[in-house]
Amino acid sequence: MHQRARSAEDKARRADDLLKAAEALASELGGVRYITLAAVTERAGLHRTGVRRYYASKEELLLELAERGWGQWRDAIKDAVKDAIKSGAADRAGPAHRPAPSRSRLGPAQTAAVVSQTLVALPVFCDLLTHATLYLEGDVDIERARRYKTNSFAAHDEIAATLDHASTMTVEQITSLLAAAIMLAAGLWQVSHPTPTLAALYEQEPRWGHVALDFSPRLTGLLEACAVGLGGT
């Protein structure tokens, strides 16, 4: 028999179990559009009605997953910046608008690589960037939407500050790069993960299949071009 969570710790753990189950199913099925609350609760080992004790709707659960994704991206950026500087993959000389740094800084191309590589490592988050904008934020109550906006903006600002500290790019250039990264990651992920109907269509019409872009190299190339262009302004 399934027992109700009897403490705040139990409730938090079971809520986290539901998030992990949703993320795993989205990865296995090819996107969050394919998951159902019934499948999530079954994967998490809860009764099919148990999810309502933790999330009011599928949209609220997915928005929570998107919010967690922002935190994961923030942490991944911090780790990637440390690794890039430690490995020596940075420039010693700063651009004209900054004095020559006493330590290595990431140039525009290296900054773009950090941003793209960390996004590629979070495929469900990239998928959710589309859904959050399209409907998730609007299909929950205002206080839940406020919490998502508050925490996602806070994570974004931490990412920008981390890159500003480590990069030769200005904070204004980094903010523009992040805006491009979010839009490109959201759009390219959807295009590169077609629905079964479109996948079958591309097999029948190979000349249309080119739109099913390879996500990682296309995102990396476009962000590098964007960063280099911004860094030259």
Side-chain angles (χ1 to χ4, degrees), residues 24-74:
L25 285 169
S27 297
E28 293 171 13
L29 298 176
V32 298
R33 65 169 74 102
Y34 301 114
I35 68 174
T36 64
L37 284 181
V40 170
T41 52
E42 181 179 355
R43 175 64 66 91
L46 298 177
H47 188 273
R48 61 186 178 84
T49 62
V51 68
R52 301 293 182 180
R53 301 191 188 106
Y54 308 97
Y55 301 103
S57 63
K58 174 182 172 180
E59 290 74 23
E60 186 175 297
L61 184 148
L62 292 180
L63 193 64
E64 182 81 16
L65 192 59
E67 183 179 313
R68 188 171 75 164
W70 276 101
Q72 291 171 330
W73 190 27
R74 174 201 61 213

Side-chain angles (χ1 to χ4, degrees), residues 13-187:
R13 185 178 67 252
R14 291 191 179 184
D16 187 62
D17 288 343
L18 288 165
L19 290 177
K20 291 177 180 177
E23 185 171 21
L25 285 169
S27 297
E28 293 171 13
L29 298 176
V32 298
R33 65 169 74 102
Y34 301 114
I35 68 174
T36 64
L37 284 181
V40 170
T41 52
E42 181 179 355
R43 175 64 66 91
L46 298 177
H47 188 273
R48 61 186 178 84
T49 62
V51 68
R52 301 293 182 180
R53 301 191 188 106
Y54 308 97
Y55 301 103
S57 63
K58 174 182 172 180
E59 290 74 23
E60 186 175 297
L61 184 148
L62 292 180
L63 193 64
E64 182 81 16
L65 192 59
E67 183 179 313
R68 188 171 75 164
W70 276 101
Q72 291 171 330
W73 190 27
R74 174 201 61 213
D75 295 342
I77 287 280
K78 291 179 179 180
D79 290 341
V81 163
K82 291 178 184 177
D83 291 343
I85 292 178
K86 185 183 297 184
S87 68
D91 299 325
R92 282 289 175 185
H97 63 263
R98 284 191 173 179
S102 59
R103 59 176 178 78
S104 299
R105 285 190 182 273
L106 302 176
Q110 291 87 4
T111 303
V114 165
V115 173
S116 62
Q117 289 166 8
T118 51
L119 281 170
V120 168
L122 296 169
V124 174
F125 176 58
C126 293
D127 182 16
L128 283 165
L129 286 172
T130 296
H131 295 279
T133 302
L134 284 179
Y135 68 92
L136 294 179
E137 295 173 314
D139 286 353
V140 297
D141 65 60
I142 191 169
E143 289 308 314
R144 184 62 192 87
R146 187 193 308 278
R147 194 176 88 197
Y148 173 75
K149 286 294 192 184
T150 298
N151 292 332
S152 62
F153 275 121
H156 172 278
D157 292 346
E158 283 192 61
I159 290 169
T162 297
L163 294 175
D164 179 47
H165 183 69
S167 174
T168 61
M169 300 176 71
T170 67
V171 68
E172 292 81 6
Q173 293 166 348
I174 288 167
T175 300
S176 295
L177 177 64
L178 291 177
I182 292 165
M183 294 178 65
L184 286 170

Side-chain angles (χ1 to χ4, degrees), residues 178-231:
L178 291 177
I182 292 165
M183 294 178 65
L184 286 170
L188 291 177
W189 196 94
Q190 302 301 330
V191 173
S192 61
H193 293 79
T195 63
T197 298
L198 284 179
L201 180 60
Y202 296 153
E203 289 183 3
Q204 297 174 14
E205 303 289 346
R207 68 185 186 279
W208 295 338
H210 71 280
V211 302
L213 305 174
D214 195 350
F215 177 64
S216 177
R218 188 59 60 98
L219 177 64
T220 299
L222 287 173
L223 286 184
E224 180 176 340
C226 181
V228 171
L230 288 168

